[in-house]
Amino acid sequence: MSLSRAPRRSRSTSGRAILLTAVTLAGAVTLTACGDGDGGSKSSGSAGGNYVTGSSGISTVAKAGRTAAPKLDGETVDGKTLDTTALKGKVVVLNVWGSWCPPCRAEAPNFAKVAKEMEAAGQPVAFVGINTRDNAKQSAASFEETYGITYPSLFDPDGKLMLRFPKDALNPNAIPSTLVLDKDGKIAARTLAAVSEKKLRAMIDPILAEK
């Protein structure tokens, strides 16, 4: 009797260990996906061409090596519709955020300020948010109202829009993420952390100055 029970106890213990490991890994992924910070290490790699990540954590791609961003379209938080392909000819700033994400809340005032100042200056820059993993539009709308976000955000509770980005390109694989598209709709810069006003301008200004 005791010998026949031993394998069952072993399998049960093994099952609990596997489950615990899975939960631990899931927690680690969640923390990584909503991390804070304004720094980074210098590195390089390939993403639709060569890119370089500077000490600020901003990854940039030379104009000749850029990959076209996918079409991002759908319903916005305020119930309207948006298609980012209609914004070609402008520099487009894409910010992936969630109302539940502390770093997103920390950077939101910087986005609100820079977007309003660039609009007032008549700069050809369009800001677009991608709201993800908020189950209700009300939470996202309250976030926008709290932080004075006046530009549109696509409502993407399941993260489907993020999956449209090609795997070999700079893509928004963390929350928050910010991408800057050049006037041809190609991915020119990316960061995977919350941004300060200075860092946000440092991402936009060089792309805006391109001929």
Side-chain angles (χ1 to χ4, degrees):
M1 293 292 288
S2 59
L3 290 175
S4 62
R5 291 193 188 108
R8 286 197 294 269
R9 285 199 299 270
S10 177
R11 286 194 295 269
S12 177
T13 301
S14 176
R16 285 196 298 271
I18 292 170
L19 178 60
L20 180 59
T21 301
V23 170
T24 301
L25 289 173
V29 169
T30 301
L31 289 173
T32 301
C34 192
D36 199 358
D38 200 38
S41 58
K42 200 166 186 178
S43 62
S44 63
S46 177
N50 292 328
Y51 74 88
V52 176
T53 303
S55 58
S56 65
I58 300 173
S59 299
T60 56
V61 186
K63 196 169 184 177
R66 293 173 187 168
T67 300
K71 178 178 181 177
L72 302 170
D73 62 331
E75 191 171 359
T76 59
V77 169
D78 59 3
K80 299 177 182 179
T81 56
L82 175 67
D83 182 345
T84 57
T85 58
L87 299 174
K88 278 191 178 181
K90 294 184 176 182
V91 171
V92 179
V93 182
L94 295 173
N95 178 239
V96 181
W97 62 276
S99 67
W100 46 269
C101 170
C104 300
R105 294 194 289 270
E107 70 176 2
N110 303 322
F111 278 92
K113 182 180 179 182
V114 174
K116 289 174 183 176
E117 289 179 353
M118 288 195 161
E119 181 180 13
Q123 298 280 15
V125 180
F127 283 72
V128 176
I130 301 177
N131 171 251
T132 189
R133 288 171 54 186
D134 272 315
N135 294 324
K137 284 185 179 179
Q138 184 177 356
S139 298
S142 295
F143 178 98
E144 291 183 331
E145 183 178 359
T146 297
Y147 295 104
I149 303 295
T150 56
Y151 54 83
S153 286
L154 290 162
F155 184 61
D156 185 32
D158 299 322
K160 292 180 180 178
L161 292 178
M162 296 169 70
L163 297 177
R164 293 185 184 181
F165 285 82
K167 292 181 180 179
D168 62 343
L170 289 176
N171 54 67
N173 54 15
I175 303 169
S177 291
T178 300
L179 277 67
V180 179
L181 313 185
D182 64 21
K183 294 175 184 178
D184 295 321
K186 296 182 177 181
I187 304 169
R190 179 194 68 178
T191 186
L192 301 176
V195 297
S196 63
E197 179 183 344
K198 180 179 179 181
K199 183 173 178 178
L200 182 55
R201 290 185 180 277
M203 293 181 70
I204 300 169
D205 289 345
I207 313 306
L208 190 58
E210 290 179 348
K211 301 299 183 183

